[in-house]
Structure formats: C-alpha cells, structure tokens
Amino acid sequence: MKSDLVDSYIKKAKDKKMPIEERKQNLEKAYTIYSTLEDNSFKIKKIQEISIQYYNLKDYDSYKEMNEKALKLSVLIGDSLNLARSYFFVGLYYRSSKLDVAFKNFHEADKIYSSLDHQKYKSKDYAFDHGKALIDIARIQQRTKDYNESEATTIKAIKKFELSENFQYLPLCYTNLGILAKYLERYQESVEYHLKAIEYAKGTNKEVLQTVLSFNNIGTVYKSQQKYDKAKEYYHKGLSYIEFLNKNPKRHSLLLDNLGYVKFLSKDAEDIPDLFYKSLKIRDSIDDKFGIATNTLHLAEYYQSIAEDSIAKMYADQSRNISLELQNNEELLKAYKVLSEVSDSKEGLNYANTYIKLNDSLIKEERLFRDKFARIQFETDEIVEENQQISRENQILIIAILGLTALFLLGYIIFRQQQSNKELLFAQTQQESNEEIYRLLLNQQIKLEEGRQLEQQRMSEELHDGVLGRLFGVRLSLDGINQRANDGFTETRNKYIDELKAIEKEIRLISHDLGAETLPSDVAYIDAVENLIKDLCEVHNIEFEFNNDEDIDWEGIDDQKKVNFFRILQESMQNIFKHAHADHIKINFEYVDSTINLTILDDGIGFKANKVKKGIGLKNITSRVSQMNGEVQFLSNEGSGTTVSVRVPIEAIVEEVY
C-alpha cells in the first residue's frame, strides 16, 4: 500500500538520530508518492503531517510550500475543516515575521471554525484546533496592545480547550491572561493567573519550563508594583532550577538580568553589576539580540546612577543600535532617554528631540489604532439614531417612494421580460435556420460523395468486367492458336501473351485501387488490408509479414482515416515493387498512447536521403498523413533497405471499462 510506504518515510523523518538532510529526503519521497494519489481529505491531512516535520526540522520554506498546497487542495475539494487547519498552519509561518499576515490567516481559520455546520461536524472534534487559532489571535492582540480584545479572545480559547478535553495549551492561555492583567494593572489577578498556569502544567513534559516561566512573570508583576522583595523571591525561585537553566541559557540569562534590575531598582548593590555582566555573557554566547538590547540598557542605567556617564553612554549606544536593527521601539525609547541624559548638552538635546519625536509617533499610532474602532462605533451609533429619526418623521414619504419604486421596477421587469422573450424567439429561429442550412449542405455533400463513389465503382467494374474480360478472351484465343499452329511464330505470340497477362494484372490493380477509395461495408477493414497486401505480394512474388495490434478498434475510427491508411500502405508497396528490388516486406500496425503507428520495412536497395521529397508517391503519402494531423518519416540508406514510419493520433479507439 502506498499509504504504508509514506508512513514509513515520515517515521524515518522523525528519527532524530538520522542526519537532517536524510530526514528531509524521506519527507520528499513521502510527498512525491502522495502527490500521485486521488485528491481527498486523507491526502490533505498527510501533506499537513509532512509539513509539520519540515517545521520541526526548521525548513520553514518547505513547511510553507506544503501548507499552501494543502490550502489550495482544500479549496478545490471543498474541505472546510482542512481549509481552516491550512490557514492556521500558514499563519504559524508568518507569526514571527509579519503579524498582519499571520493575524489574517488565523482570523480566516477562526471564521471557518465558527461557521461550520454542527450537524455535519461535531464541535468537540475540532474544538482543540479552533482553540489554537484563537490563542494565536489573542497573543497577536496582546503584542499590538489591544489588551481587552486579547483577554476576550483568550477566554474563548480556554472554552474551546475545555470542550476538547485537551488541556495542553491552557498554561499558555493563563500565562497570556496574567500578562494582560498586569498591563491592565490588575496585579493580584495577574499573579493568580500565573499560578494557575503552573497548576495546569503539572504532570506534563513542560512542567518545569512553565514553572520557571511563571515564576519570572510573577516576579515581573511584583516589580511593576515596586514590591521588590517579593519580586526577588520569585526570581530566586526560578533560578533554583539549576539543571533546567543549564540546558536553557536564554531563560537563565533572563532571570539573572531581571534579578539584577530589581536589585538595582531597590538600591540593593549586592552582586551589581555582576548579575548584568553574567547575563550579558550568556546572551552574547547565544546571540540573543533582544536580550542584549535590554541587558546593555540596564547597564547604561546602572552606570548613569553612579555618575559613570561615558560607560553609560557606551552601553546606551549599544542598546540603541540593536533596538534600531530589531525595530524594538520600547527599548529604543529608553535608550534615547538615557543618551539624552548622559551626553553633552548639544548631543543630549538632539537625543531628547529624537526621544520626543519617537514617543509622539508611537503614542499617535496607538491612539489611531484605538480611535479607529471607537470612531467606527460612534459613527455606527450616530447613523442608527439618525435613521430612527428619519423613520419617525418621514415614514409616509418613504412608503410612497418605495411604492413608486416597486411599480417602476415591476414595469421595467415586465418590459425586460418581453424584450428577452423576443430575443430568445429570434435566437431560436436563427438557430433553426442555421440547422436547416447545415442539413441541406450535409445532404448535398453526402449525395456528391455517393455519386463519386458510384462513378468510381462503375469504372472499377467496367475495367474489371469489360476491358479485363475482353483481354482475357484475346489471350485465350492466342493460347488456342499456339496449341494448333506450328508456323514459327509461336515464340512471338507467347511474348504478346505474357504482355497481355501483365496488362491484365495492371488493370486488375487499377480496378482494385478505384474500389478501395471507399471500403466495402461487408468486409472487416483489417481483412481488406491483409487481402491487399497478400494480393500485391503474390503478383510481385515477394514474401511478407503482417501484424495488427488487437487494441486498435478499427470500427471506431473515421472512415476517411482508414482510407488514408489503406492508400498510404498501397502507395508504399507500389514504391517497393517499382524501385526497391526487395525480397521481403514487414508491415505492423501498433497502438501506443492514443496513437496508431504504421511501420513498413523492406530489405531492398534503399535510396539517398536527399531524394525523399522528389518522388510523387512520397509526396502523396506525406499529404495524406498531414490530413490526419500525423507525422511521417522515411528512413533509408543505399543498400540497407527502407523504413516508412507513420504516427497518427486517434481519439477514443479503445473501449472504456466500467
């Protein structure tokens, strides 16, 4: 089974002991097989499964490519559930780079999940996936400081996870609620949310990670309240997980920096600035640029506090440059503020102006963002109120206008219907006239063709029964004279008798040619072809071999094409008899990929290639092949025989099996 083979390739791709490139190759093999299968929901799920492995291997471009294919396929077959999943997976690709694009994809997923038919889909079956889309929307709303909306979306996500009975992402949900509560200055509620995140993580493989993260977040909540001793307590709790932090240097450096900064704020000089330097060293070693920007800013603030302005300026410059690179506006503002205070008066004034300009710009952006929704709401309420007033004051007038409009529309519809009926009647009449003209032309063509065929048949019969019969009588008479007479002219008469035999053969072939332009309906086509080959080869004393592919349905092929094949074969054999001096002919009909291939080979003397286009017979063959939209090749060398190869595309010549 192909699906079993694909599963084996995916399993190999998950093997962390194998080299990454080899794991990717297994994923490529898996997709190559699935791309050949029928388009259905199972195929989409497997493509998504392959994409997840690419994501785990940090091959994000391949991850995106797979999910875009899954997205298009979901649209193609109308699979709403997998369409929502694909939008979610594409959103993950953009989550760290383009928040607007990520939000758009997550929002599309949310809309589809929210609109699914509950009779067709069970809510519990897709509640977990819906919850993941919602929590990602909530985190983007939190990052863009839309705190109230983020809180509402997070609560929706929690309800979805509870419905699914899969609590994997509940710690993340409560962590987000804790962060939002801190920004909204609901500090006690924030601490409770973070403690709840720890509770939901217990017994999972992320218990320690969540505990350390939540202790850090609780410390930050207490720092915001200026409860520095409580903040230190929780930072120390986080730092107590030594084994975990040794394997997670980014978390370790964060806790060290936060502990150092709380000590600095509380004027506790113990281990300051050592904690900052220790954290900065770790962050440098892992190239944590966001962390370095914060760390250097804290060092700048520390050295400013002890009047070491030159050192403070150096670290503030580092923080500013990195923040500009990362477009981290919050740290950039703080860096400009420190630089404005530790630089000389002129330079400090420039930094102060830059700080004010950037701060005003950020405030304006936030205000515009908030005011946009407030303005829409205000305008909507205002329009509703005005409409209600108009409705009360002008109800009669509106009803009258609507009535007149309805009458006008009704009259217009009746008029358009009449016009449409006339146009339809004219079109029908025109169609009938065209059909009648076509029938007359077709009948005329049929009659002309019948007349031509009758005349050809008459000429064939006249030659065969009349001229040929008379010649046969003359030859018999001469034979009788030869048998009776002994006058010395016997040899001469034998010579003329042989000539008469040759003339008879020639006339018989001409008669056969005239009769073959329209094939007899009472003889199978391939039998007629074989009889032609047999008769001609017997007349010219040449051995032949004939093969016909049984897959060819000659009854389903157009009569004109069959006649063309017949004439091509006849012309080719005449060329062989006249010029080739061959002893053996091999003729094959083959059917390959909706194409009939006719091959005629002889073992004669051949001819020069530059003479191919000069012979009338070869031109006639080329012309007939062109009429059938086919291709012909004449392959020959002097002394090595000749091959005529004809390829003609034929549609629907093999019966379909149901």
Side-chain angles (χ1 to χ4, degrees):
M1 291 287 290
K2 286 185 177 181
S3 58
D4 294 336
L5 184 58
V6 170
D7 288 339
S8 70
Y9 283 134
I10 295 175
K11 185 177 180 181
K12 290 178 182 177
K14 293 179 181 179
D15 187 356
K16 296 181 180 179
K17 296 179 181 178
M18 293 176 64
I20 289 177
E21 285 305 314
E22 194 171 337
R23 292 167 69 184
K24 288 181 182 179
Q25 288 172 6
N26 280 294
L27 291 175
E28 289 173 7
K29 291 176 183 177
Y31 177 72
T32 300
I33 295 173
Y34 260 107
S35 63
T36 64
L37 299 182
E38 180 184 357
D39 293 341
N40 53 34
S41 299
F42 179 74
K43 179 178 179 179
I44 297 171
K45 288 180 181 178
K46 284 297 177 182
I47 293 174
Q48 290 169 344
E49 187 177 343
I50 291 169
S51 79
I52 292 169
Q53 296 310 314
Y54 274 122
Y55 191 91
N56 293 337
L57 292 172
K58 298 184 180 179
D59 186 350
Y60 300 119
D61 289 337
S62 296
Y63 166 82
K64 176 191 173 189
E65 182 184 354
M66 289 292 106
N67 282 297
E68 286 177 342
K69 288 177 179 178
L71 187 66
K72 290 178 182 178
L73 186 54
S74 299
V75 173
L76 180 66
I77 68 172
D79 186 341
S80 298
L81 206 56
N82 276 315
L83 181 61
R85 283 169 55 84
S86 296
Y87 272 124
F88 171 75
F89 286 135
V90 173
L92 289 182
Y93 174 82
Y94 291 105
R95 187 170 62 183
S96 59
S97 57
K98 295 181 179 180
L99 285 182
D100 56 336
V101 180
F103 183 85
K104 180 181 178 182
N105 281 281
F106 291 140
H107 183 61
E108 289 293 335
D110 174 39
K111 282 200 302 184
I112 294 171
Y113 283 128
S114 299
S115 61
L116 287 175
D117 185 353
H118 295 309
Q119 293 182 343
K120 185 177 180 181
Y121 302 100
K122 292 182 180 179
S123 300
K124 186 176 180 180
D125 292 342
Y126 61 85
F128 181 71
D129 289 333
H130 191 183
K132 288 195 294 183
L134 287 169
I135 190 57
D136 270 300
I137 292 172
R139 292 175 74 192
I140 292 174
Q141 290 170 331
Q142 181 249 106
R143 290 176 65 181
T144 54
K145 299 186 178 181
D146 191 0
Y147 300 135
N148 289 318
E149 285 298 319
S150 178
E151 187 175 46
T153 307
T154 305
I155 292 170
K156 287 181 183 178
I158 290 172
K159 290 179 180 178
K160 294 297 178 184
F161 291 132
E162 289 175 344
L163 174 62
S164 72
E165 297 180 1
N166 186 334
F167 305 139
Q168 178 182 348
Y169 287 95
L170 285 183
L172 177 61
C173 292
Y174 284 107
T175 296
N176 195 54
L177 288 176
I179 293 169
L180 294 168
K182 186 197 80 170
Y183 284 130
L184 295 170
E185 298 183 359
R186 304 200 305 261
Y187 298 115
Q188 186 55 40
E189 193 175 331
S190 175
V191 171
E192 290 172 0
Y193 280 136
H194 288 305
L195 290 173
K196 204 164 186 178
I198 294 173
E199 285 298 316
Y200 275 105
K202 282 184 177 178
T204 70
N205 58 355
K206 293 186 178 179
E207 179 179 351
V208 176
L209 170 63
Q210 185 62 54
T211 302
V212 172
L213 179 64
S214 294
F215 283 159
N216 178 74
N217 289 335
I218 293 170
T220 305
V221 173
Y222 284 124
K223 181 187 72 176
S224 300
Q225 292 178 276
Q226 297 183 357
K227 295 180 179 180
Y228 298 127
D229 288 338
K230 292 291 290 183
K232 291 178 198 176
E233 177 188 340
Y234 277 94
Y235 289 139
H236 279 297
K237 282 184 177 182
L239 287 166
S240 67
Y241 290 85
I242 298 171
E243 184 179 350
F244 170 80
L245 295 176
N246 287 337
K247 296 177 183 178
N248 294 271
K250 192 172 183 178
R251 305 288 180 190
H252 191 190
S253 61
L254 176 65
L255 283 164
L256 289 172
D257 186 40
N258 282 342
L259 177 60
Y261 195 59
V262 166
K263 285 194 171 192
F264 164 68
L265 292 175
S266 64
K267 308 207 183 297
D268 178 0
E270 184 183 2
D271 297 325
I272 301 296
D274 292 344
L275 285 170
F276 291 139
Y277 283 121
K278 189 175 180 181
S279 174
L280 184 59
K281 183 178 180 181
I282 296 172
R283 283 169 164 167
D284 275 331
S285 69
I286 60 174
D287 196 29
D288 178 12
K289 290 186 176 180
F290 280 97
I292 292 169
T294 302
N295 231 141
T296 50
L297 182 63
H298 289 167
L299 280 166
E301 290 181 39
Y302 165 73
Y303 281 109
Q304 180 189 10
S305 71
I306 60 174
E308 293 284 352
D309 288 352
S310 60
I311 301 176
K313 187 174 184 298
M314 177 188 71
Y315 282 117
D317 270 329
Q318 287 185 31
S319 180
R320 179 200 59 179
N321 293 335
I322 296 172
S323 297
L324 280 169
E325 178 188 345
L326 300 174
Q327 296 183 338
N328 186 351
N329 291 322
E330 290 185 8
E331 302 292 27
L332 186 58
L333 268 179
K334 295 174 184 177
Y336 280 133
K337 185 175 183 298
V338 173
L339 286 169
S340 70
E341 294 170 351
V342 299
S343 303
D344 58 49
S345 57
K346 184 178 180 181
E347 190 179 12
L349 181 60
N350 288 334
Y351 282 127
N353 288 332
T354 304
Y355 171 85
I356 293 168
K357 185 178 179 180
L358 177 60
N359 189 52
D360 289 345
S361 173
L362 294 175
I363 292 172
K364 184 178 180 181
E365 283 185 17
E366 291 178 11
R367 186 183 297 119
L368 286 173
F369 186 76
R370 291 193 301 268
D371 290 351
K372 177 181 178 181
F373 297 101
R375 185 170 61 255
I376 291 172
Q377 183 64 42
F378 173 76
E379 290 173 355
T380 303
D381 293 343
E382 191 176 57
I383 290 170
V384 170
E385 187 176 343
E386 289 176 0
N387 287 339
Q388 289 174 347
Q389 183 67 22
I390 292 171
S391 179
R392 286 192 296 269
E393 294 177 355
N394 303 300
Q395 188 173 13
I396 296 175
L397 180 60
I398 292 171
I399 292 172
I401 292 171
L402 289 174
L404 289 172
T405 303
L407 287 173
F408 172 77
L409 287 173
L410 181 61
Y412 178 75
I413 290 169
I414 292 171
F415 172 75
R416 286 300 304 160
Q417 187 64 38
Q418 290 175 343
Q419 290 296 110
S420 297
N421 289 339
K422 288 179 181 179
E423 291 173 1
L424 181 61
L425 182 61
F426 175 77
Q428 289 175 341
T429 305
Q430 188 72 20
Q431 179 68 20
E432 290 173 358
S433 299
N434 290 339
E435 289 176 356
E436 183 62 27
I437 291 169
Y438 176 75
R439 281 195 296 271
L440 289 172
L441 289 172
L442 186 61
N443 288 335
Q444 184 180 16
Q445 184 65 30
I446 291 170
K447 288 178 180 179
L448 287 172
E449 182 64 22
E450 287 176 350
R452 186 179 70 83
Q453 291 176 6
L454 288 172
E455 182 62 20
Q456 283 184 335
Q457 188 66 27
R458 186 191 67 76
M459 291 174 66
S460 174
E461 291 172 355
E462 186 67 26
L463 283 171
H464 188 275
D465 298 337
V467 177
L468 194 60
R470 291 171 64 189
L471 283 173
F472 182 69
V474 171
R475 182 166 61 82
L476 288 178
S477 297
L478 286 173
D479 278 336
I481 292 171
N482 262 0
Q483 291 175 5
R484 293 192 301 272
N486 188 14
D487 53 4
F489 294 100
T490 301
E491 185 177 347
T492 301
R493 283 192 293 271
N494 283 336
K495 179 180 177 182
Y496 287 118
I497 288 170
D498 290 340
E499 185 66 26
L500 284 173
K501 287 180 180 179
I503 293 170
E504 286 178 26
K505 290 178 182 179
E506 191 68 27
I507 291 173
R508 187 177 289 108
L509 290 174
I510 292 170
S511 174
H512 197 291
D513 288 350
L514 287 169
E517 191 66 32
T518 55
L519 299 170
S521 59
D522 58 342
V523 180
Y525 175 73
I526 204 62
D527 291 339
V529 170
E530 191 166 7
N531 288 335
L532 170 70
I533 297 168
K534 182 178 179 181
D535 290 345
L536 291 176
C537 286
E538 283 181 357
V539 168
H540 292 89
N541 196 27
I542 292 179
E543 294 181 0
F544 73 92
E545 180 182 343
F546 174 63
N547 296 300
N548 174 60
D549 193 334
E550 293 182 356
D551 287 339
I552 304 175
D553 179 16
W554 288 107
E555 292 183 4
I557 297 175
D558 178 70
D559 284 345
Q560 189 58 44
K561 282 188 172 65
K562 290 193 283 190
V563 169
N564 280 333
F565 274 122
F566 196 91
R567 299 294 283 173
I568 289 167
L569 182 57
Q570 195 173 42
E571 189 70 53
S572 297
M573 293 182 70
Q574 289 293 349
N575 285 338
I576 293 170
F577 301 146
K578 290 178 182 178
H579 309 295
H581 304 299
D583 296 319
H584 188 272
I585 302 174
K586 185 174 181 180
I587 299 168
N588 292 326
F589 275 113
E590 292 182 317
Y591 178 67
V592 180
D593 296 333
S594 299
T595 301
I596 290 182
N597 297 335
L598 168 60
T599 308
I600 306 166
L601 302 94
D602 70 70
D603 59 356
I605 62 174
F607 57 82
K608 291 183 179 179
N610 58 10
K611 293 185 179 180
V612 169
K613 296 183 180 179
K614 295 182 180 179
I616 294 174
L618 300 186
K619 287 182 179 179
N620 289 341
I621 292 173
T622 303
S623 174
R624 287 185 180 273
V625 173
S626 297
Q627 291 174 23
M628 297 187 288
N629 298 319
E631 299 174 358
V632 62
Q633 285 185 312
F634 303 100
L635 306 174
S636 182
N637 288 311
E638 286 188 296
S640 61
T642 301
T643 300
V644 178
S645 178
V646 177
R647 298 177 72 254
V648 176
I650 303 293
E651 295 181 358
I653 67 169
V654 180
E655 294 185 359
E656 294 185 8
V657 179
Y658 294 94

